[in-house]
Amino acid sequence: VHGRVHGEPQSPPPNQNEGPPQVPPLPQPEVPVESDHFSSAASSLLFFGVSFLIGIVAYFLFWHNSLESIDFNEQTLVTCGSAIKLNHARTSYRLHSHNVRLPYGPRFSGQQSVTCVPYQNNPESLWLVKSISDDVPCNRGDPILKDSKIRLEHVSTGRNLHSHANFMSPLSGNQEVSAFGENGNGDSGDHFQVTWK
């Protein structure tokens, strides 16, 4: 017996291809699947979907039928409470205002300036459609009919579109158009009559 003492345990020959010792994988915790979350989400979507459909049906059964006698030539309705942009037909400029005052003097009012701008997405071009006073009903959603008198309140500043014959525009020399009043309150110079051909 060469190289070993009788009675010693024989060690296995070294393996040259052995890598690092293997670590057993950690046990993965079980995550319970909550079916309640899925059913709640599905119920909410179903509820809102059904509510939306009921609203559409109610519109066509009630409100739409009440407008059958009015010929709007398939144009989009402007309603009380709408925020609109007024577009000049020839130039596509929008009626616009911001908190900048006109000059003040014998020929100029010093009120908030109103101009037109070419920018389509400027929020300073939004005007709120309102009645001429609290005594004249104009409920949100009521259509604005031909020959109605309305007031347009500048959404950002709360001043009304306004005109008066005794002041002139510093730019054109024509009758001045301005924004006037505070928080939607103004005077009869804020009343505009809606008409079309």
Side-chain angles (χ1 to χ4, degrees):
V1 176
H2 301 290
R4 76 182 172 105
V5 179
H6 187 66
E8 282 183 14
Q10 185 177 6
S11 60
N15 186 350
Q16 300 298 328
N17 294 331
E18 249 184 77
Q22 297 294 320
V23 177
L26 294 174
Q28 297 294 321
E30 287 189 31
V31 178
V33 177
E34 296 285 338
S35 62
D36 290 343
H37 292 298
F38 176 76
S39 62
S40 294
S43 298
S44 296
L45 286 174
L46 182 62
F47 172 76
F48 287 116
V50 169
S51 298
F52 178 75
L53 289 175
I54 289 172
I56 296 292
V57 169
Y59 164 79
F60 281 105
L61 288 178
F62 302 106
W63 191 75
H64 181 72
N65 288 339
S66 69
L67 300 177
E68 284 182 353
S69 61
I70 303 170
D71 180 18
F72 290 104
N73 297 322
E74 298 182 12
Q75 298 294 320
T76 302
L77 296 178
V78 174
T79 62
C80 289
S82 295
I84 63 171
K85 291 183 180 181
L86 297 171
N87 186 51
H88 184 250
R90 188 171 54 80
T91 63
S92 295
Y93 277 40
R94 272 59 175 181
L95 190 68
H96 176 88
S97 189
H98 47 265
N99 199 6
V100 172
R101 298 289 181 152
L102 292 165
Y104 181 77
R107 298 183 310 163
F108 310 117
S109 69
Q111 294 175 357
Q112 183 173 304
S113 68
V114 173
T115 58
C116 289
V117 295
Y119 318 116
Q120 294 184 6
N121 296 322
N122 191 316
E124 300 288 337
S125 299
L126 283 171
W127 300 85
L128 184 66
V129 179
K130 299 173 61 175
S131 70
I132 57 173
S133 75
D134 292 337
D135 299 331
V136 179
C138 186
N139 298 315
R140 183 179 296 270
D142 288 350
I144 301 298
L145 304 176
K146 189 174 183 178
D147 297 325
S148 297
K149 289 186 179 179
I150 62 168
R151 183 176 282 182
L152 294 172
E153 180 183 325
H154 188 241
V155 170
S156 297
T157 62
R159 294 190 175 102
N160 299 318
L161 186 65
H162 184 84
S163 189
H164 32 222
N166 48 343
F167 295 108
M168 60 190 295
S169 165
L171 299 176
S172 68
N174 296 325
Q175 182 172 326
E176 183 185 87
V177 175
S178 63
F180 172 73
E182 297 294 329
N183 300 317
N185 296 316
D187 62 26
S188 61
D190 306 337
H191 301 175
F192 289 85
Q193 188 167 12
V194 178
T195 187
W196 59 81
K197 294 181 181 181

